[in-house]
Amino acid sequence: MYNNGNITSGGYYYASPNEMQMPVYTQTPLQQPAKVKKEKGGFGRFCKRVLLSACLGLCFGLCAGAGLYAVGKSTGFFEKLEAVYNTPIESDVQTTPTPTVESVDNMAPVVNTTNITAVTSDVSDMVEEVMPAMVSIVNTYTERYSYFGQTVEREAGSSGSGIIVGENETEILIATNYHVVEDADELTVNFIDGTEARAIIKGTDQDMDLAVIAVSFNDLSLETREAITIAKLGDSDSLKLGEPVVAIGNALGYGQSVTGGWISALDREVELEDGSTGTFIQTDAAINPGNSGGALLNVNGEVIGINSNKIGGAIIDGIGYAIPISAAQPILEDLMLRETRNKVDEANMGYLGIVPESVTAEAAQIYGMPQGVFVSRVDEGTPAAEGGILQGDIITKFDGIKLLYANDLREMLEYYAAGETVEIQIMRIENGEWRERTLEIVLGSRPLANR
């Protein structure tokens, strides 16, 4: 605004350009500067709020605690809680006071192992009790191969495992896999005390990959007979997924070793080398070459499976298979009752007079044929011809023993002498259907050309 030629702006005064004096600053009476109230900072307000929240929380906690205490006293909750804490804690592992031993005169004792009802990381006591029933097996056989058109033979060997499952008046009986003793020229069994003895095949079931071999008491010292025990067989039908198991066997031929794991699967169907399908226990316990024929045990030391490294072919790490003992036991009991036979020398070996061929599981399924040994030819004047065997027949059993392959029949004849009478079970087509017949054949002497 203007005032007497001078200019004022706001509360400040400016002299006219003609005045040579310093500017004088004045304030108009009507524009007094407003007083500004200085507020306190934000940190103070924050502290007040925190303090207020803490007080409210404390009050709420005290009220809630008082309420809960009143409810607890009225319902007797505190007395029940005190009783629980004062109750003694029971052990996770229950055991019988002492293992019991059942024995028969001149026979190895049967040990009933400690009953463990919980999973523990230490199974050393159980393993110590069952180990005397475990054996290692060495199979010495003749390996044949072609070299520039010539058949070359050489001695070879393989290792496996076995389980002492019984005995009779004259011998110890050992269960194992058929493929462990297949084509054996000689079998050697190593026992817990480090001694070894010769064994002979008592019976086999190639279809189930099972065998029973026998060791004569005459080949065992008194100390060895006292050191060994008979394994206790369990019930594989009662197994559950996730149940802990222990595998014992002659892994890689180095001697007995112990591995542990779980039941990974039950009733696992696996295709075998011959195309057939079997049902097995699957476990992640390591089952390596040499473990075949060894025991798969539960934590009570009972055999619940017979391990087989052969099942499943090239198996991925962490997957192993065992034959369920509930399926194997009836077969083993039958094999244990067989007559123990030694191989007959070649000059006295029995003879049938047929040309045998194998009927595989695949061929049997495709053509609707029984599996066994197909008779592709019967020579005239031979024991087979005189006994009633015809071309086209399929031999399924020899002296009560099931046959699957032509080689099975050849091996069986190695244990029978000329002049013995054997029962041979065949399947024959009659009126378009396969019918079973049983024939009695008197074995003859092998021609010199076939020896």
Side-chain angles (χ1 to χ4, degrees):
M1 66 183 184
Y2 297 93
N3 185 13
N4 297 326
N6 293 328
I7 302 173
T8 62
S9 175
Y12 299 95
Y13 171 81
Y14 295 94
S16 66
N18 298 323
E19 294 180 1
M20 301 301 296
Q21 61 186 27
M22 295 297 292
V24 178
Y25 298 94
T26 61
Q27 292 180 340
T28 61
L30 297 178
Q31 295 186 357
Q32 296 295 327
K35 293 184 180 180
V36 179
K37 182 179 180 181
K38 187 176 181 181
E39 295 184 358
K40 295 184 179 180
F43 180 75
R45 292 198 306 272
F46 174 75
C47 291
K48 284 184 178 181
R49 291 174 183 176
V50 170
L51 183 59
L52 179 60
S53 298
C55 293
L56 291 174
L58 181 61
C59 292
F60 177 78
L62 291 174
C63 293
L68 289 175
Y69 179 79
V71 172
K73 291 296 288 183
S74 62
T75 59
F77 172 77
F78 297 111
E79 290 78 3
K80 294 178 182 178
L81 186 63
E82 184 179 3
V84 170
Y85 275 101
N86 290 332
T87 302
I89 299 176
E90 297 181 357
S91 173
D92 291 335
V93 179
Q94 299 175 356
T95 60
T96 54
T98 54
T100 59
V101 178
E102 301 174 4
S103 61
V104 182
D105 292 341
N106 300 323
M107 297 186 183
V110 179
V111 175
N112 294 326
T113 57
T114 301
N115 180 31
I116 303 175
T117 58
V119 180
T120 64
S121 58
D122 185 358
V123 293
S124 58
D125 290 340
M126 180 272 283
V127 170
E128 185 178 1
E129 290 182 9
V130 302
M131 195 63 82
M134 308 298 150
V135 301
S136 300
I137 300 172
V138 177
N139 178 353
T140 304
Y141 60 94
T142 301
E143 186 177 51
R144 297 176 176 86
Y145 59 96
S146 179
Y147 185 74
F148 290 103
Q150 300 293 322
T151 300
V152 180
E153 296 183 350
R154 67 175 182 182
E155 186 178 276
S158 61
S159 299
S161 306
I163 312 162
I164 301 176
V165 292
E167 57 192 355
N168 54 35
E169 293 79 6
T170 60
E171 56 197 5
I172 291 289
L173 305 175
I174 299 167
T176 185
N177 289 139
Y178 169 79
H179 73 267
V180 170
V181 300
E182 185 178 8
D183 298 329
D185 294 326
E186 184 178 58
L187 292 173
T188 303
V189 174
N190 293 281
F191 296 96
I192 182 67
D193 63 347
T195 61
E196 61 180 40
R198 175 178 172 269
I200 55 178
I201 297 175
K202 193 171 183 70
T204 63
D205 188 320
Q206 186 173 356
D207 190 26
M208 283 289 290
D209 193 26
L210 292 172
V212 171
I213 62 177
V215 176
S216 173
F217 280 132
N218 295 331
D219 295 331
L220 298 176
S221 66
L222 180 61
E223 291 76 16
T224 299
R225 291 170 62 180
E226 291 177 347
I228 61 178
T229 59
I230 296 174
K232 184 177 180 181
L233 305 186
D235 179 13
S236 59
D237 290 337
S238 64
L239 293 175
K240 297 179 180 179
L241 292 178
E243 185 173 336
V245 289
V246 172
I248 299 180
N250 179 25
L252 305 180
Y254 294 146
Q256 301 292 0
S257 62
V258 179
T259 59
W262 312 92
I263 297 293
S264 304
L266 297 170
D267 301 323
R268 178 70 80 202
E269 291 190 355
V270 180
E271 185 175 345
L272 305 178
E273 292 180 348
D274 62 359
S276 62
T277 301
T279 303
F280 306 98
I281 299 169
Q282 180 181 321
T283 177
D284 64 343
I287 297 176
N288 297 299
N291 275 104
S292 290
L296 186 68
L297 304 139
N298 60 21
V299 291
N300 295 327
E302 298 169 333
V303 178
I304 47 91
I306 297 178
N307 301 322
S308 179
N309 178 257
K310 186 178 181 181
I311 298 173
I315 300 175
I316 300 173
D317 185 34
I319 297 179
Y321 295 100
I323 303 168
I325 197 63
S326 295
Q329 188 171 358
I331 297 171
L332 295 175
E333 290 175 349
D334 177 64
L335 298 178
M336 289 163 65
L337 296 176
R338 300 274 176 86
E339 178 185 354
T340 304
R341 288 179 171 270
N342 290 294
K343 284 188 176 181
V344 179
D345 17 267
E346 196 172 359
N348 298 322
M349 196 177 297
Y351 175 72
L352 273 176
I354 66 171
V355 175
E357 295 182 6
S358 300
V359 179
T360 64
E362 184 178 3
Q365 184 177 7
I366 293 174
Y367 299 107
M369 302 169 62
Q371 191 173 1
V373 179
F374 180 78
V375 180
S376 62
R377 191 183 78 200
V378 179
D379 295 332
E380 293 183 5
T382 60
E386 295 176 358
I389 295 179
L390 303 177
Q391 182 179 0
D393 289 345
I394 296 177
I395 301 175
T396 56
K397 287 185 179 181
F398 183 96
D399 197 22
I401 299 174
K402 187 175 181 179
L403 301 179
L404 292 178
Y405 305 103
N407 194 51
D408 296 346
L409 178 59
R410 297 187 185 99
E411 291 182 358
M412 289 293 300
L413 289 170
E414 294 177 355
Y415 293 87
Y416 289 79
E420 287 193 66
T421 301
V422 295
E423 282 191 352
I424 294 182
Q425 187 171 300
I426 65 167
M427 297 295 288
R428 176 178 295 168
I429 289 184
E430 295 179 356
N431 299 323
E433 295 183 357
W434 289 98
R435 297 185 183 276
E436 184 177 282
R437 286 177 173 268
T438 301
L439 306 173
E440 285 193 354
I441 309 292
V442 179
L443 299 177
S445 298
R446 297 179 66 188
L448 293 176
N450 294 334
R451 295 181 184 175

